[in-house]
Amino acid sequence: MPAYPPATVGMPLAEVDTPALILDLDVFEANLKRLKESLAGSNVKVRPHAKSHKCPQIAMRQMALGAVGVCCQKVSEAEALVEGGVTDVLIANEVVGARKLTRLVALAKQARIAVCADDPGNTDALAAAARAAGITLDVLVEVNVGANRCGVEAGEPAVELARRIASSGSLRFAGLQAYQGSAQHVRKVEERRAAIEGAVAKVQRTLDGLRTSGIACPKVTGAGTGTYMFEAASKVYDELQPGSYIFMDADYARNDWTESGIPRFEHSLFVWTTVMSRTSRDRAVVDAGLKASSVDSGMPKIADGGPAEYIKISDEHGVIQLNGAAGYEVGDKLKLIPGHCDPTVNLYDHYVCVRKGQVEAIWPITARGAVW
Amino acid sequence: MPAYPPATVGMPLAEVDTPALILDLDVFEANLKRLKESLAGSNVKVRPHAKSHKCPQIAMRQMALGAVGVCCQKVSEAEALVEGGVTDVLIANEVVGARKLTRLVALAKQARIAVCADDPGNTDALAAAARAAGITLDVLVEVNVGANRCGVEAGEPAVELARRIASSGSLRFAGLQAYQGSAQHVRKVEERRAAIEGAVAKVQRTLDGLRTSGIACPKVTGAGTGTYMFEAASKVYDELQPGSYIFMDADYARNDWTESGIPRFEHSLFVWTTVMSRTSRDRAVVDAGLKASSVDSGMPKIADGGPAEYIKISDEHGVIQLNGAAGYEVGDKLKLIPGHCDPTVNLYDHYVCVRKGQVEAIWPITARGAVW
């Protein structure tokens, strides 16, 4: 981690060093409110995904607006969140391996912790770890609702795993994790809606099986920014897990949102960068490359960039094709909208929080690098 | 940064938590020696690029084997290297902006520091910062030798900037930075060789212009792992800047090396990962995704993977298509070869250094996240 931070509180944005991760607080707060308002009158709870932000300061603000807790993906992320004051964390993912399970059950003594599972050997290991720690651990069964990644198949396989958890003696069957991840970035609203209808049918079949087997299902949790209003309307989801709505990235902005019921979340997260070279009439080179913005979902976009386009990235450089745009002289600073927020956030140690052109706060990204 | 490290010294590799960045010390040390041996009898100096490893422990080992110093790309990287004991750092990049220049000249009082420039306004700012600090700063002119990124054009434009530097009063013209970055990953040896011949011609033209103008050129520096033997043989390069040779990534391994004179560097850097889900006969899911391995140059490869292939990545998951491979049960651990080492290293805080299956050391990646 660099010895000096890119900014100090009170500094004008223009003086913030680059590359830096800038959070526009007005837009960020408006996004938090948009989510809440979009669910007004609904009984569905919100448990935002903290894998997007990795920051207790943001988790606390989400909970202050009614979130019941947060999700994350890794034990080390959950540790950072609990250390930062978050009292309720669902690890919406499988946790495998002796060292991780030891940490998991230790953490479950400090906060309300739940975890997902899709494998009987793993639930046996979870049960043994919980027993050794003298706790009862909440475990959700992850159901494959269409993403074909993790998760047991819907219906009987899910019921069987729930039964194993419920009868373990040291685990509590805490519900179904049913996240349709492959639907979130599908561009057309109707295709996203259809994917969630498919997910809902799988969840419903599993709920029917659980009922037949006499196993109570405390909740169904899932959904993301791209689809959450469909899960909210489904009557089978109790809890939603959107993450990216707070920031919005260039890739999510390419989705069609018309008549989805999902509000127009706006870009609040930017990579602040400087033009470092301008030796050609047609191109400028900026100081934010692969170590400053993830490109797995495409190049960063220039905020208010006019015709200029960020066309090529290398480790520490970005090439901007000007296409006739004025400006972009050496030393000029500009905002980039990351292609994909989550892995971009994971590159930084701090959010430089800006309001009306001035640094208001610096929030540490304490779960940055928390991959295990 | 996570509260607990993924490994402790003395631990068997099998117990190291995942994902973790594993450095195989035997292979790493062999790569260091291969580079040295490949240049035996040559007068060309080696200044390895530390942007690949971001670790003073590695820089010191490179210097112990004869490197004259290291390169890096950012002031904050240089600070981390100097803090770790490195005495000679070339920032092989433009440094722009008042805050950065203040740090740069302060650092130049603590170690031998040089920087590159391609813009007269920037060299004037460098001169003013050096004057204010009461130092003479070494500045190299970056020449565009074919990559069309940063760098002034060869010949007169480069000479003109060198003259401006030499006459500034507080800067010393320290030579030419002439890195042909776009040649490094060209697959065919002959095409890489031809690209470097083009670069050499541009450097030669610039050297001729400098001589005509009576400006002494202390050195020409450049080259990368993909081409350095061509620059070494050129008679115009004095110093080589390979970085990736210590690790080798999956993308560099796709280059043809036959009759290049460049030794077969072997993979020493791996992402250690665990199978976390195995709910299908055909696929396994591992716990290393986008936050554990950069995919800008393609998916990670499975080391000793047989027919299995890492085919799909998301933030915290990787999907492995088994193609009939045995094993890959929940809890099994495996090594991935990153697609691109540099941005992958930048995701981690530590190298877990392993020899013959046991953790021998843990080296902090102190310049991780040092992007400004």
Side-chain angles (χ1 to χ4, degrees), chain B residues 3 59 105 112 151 185 192 199 256 273 313 357:
Chain B
V105 294
R112 190 172 172 203
H185 293 261
R192 293 207 299 283
D256 178 17
T273 188
I313 198 160

Side-chain angles (χ1 to χ4, degrees), chain A residues 17-18 51 100 118 277 315, chain B residues 17 51 100 118 277 315:
Chain A
D17 209 348
T18 63
K51 82 187 186 74
K100 287 186 174 70
D118 71 0
S277 176
D315 287 355
Chain B
D17 209 347
K51 79 187 188 75
K100 287 186 175 70
D118 70 0
S277 176
D315 287 355

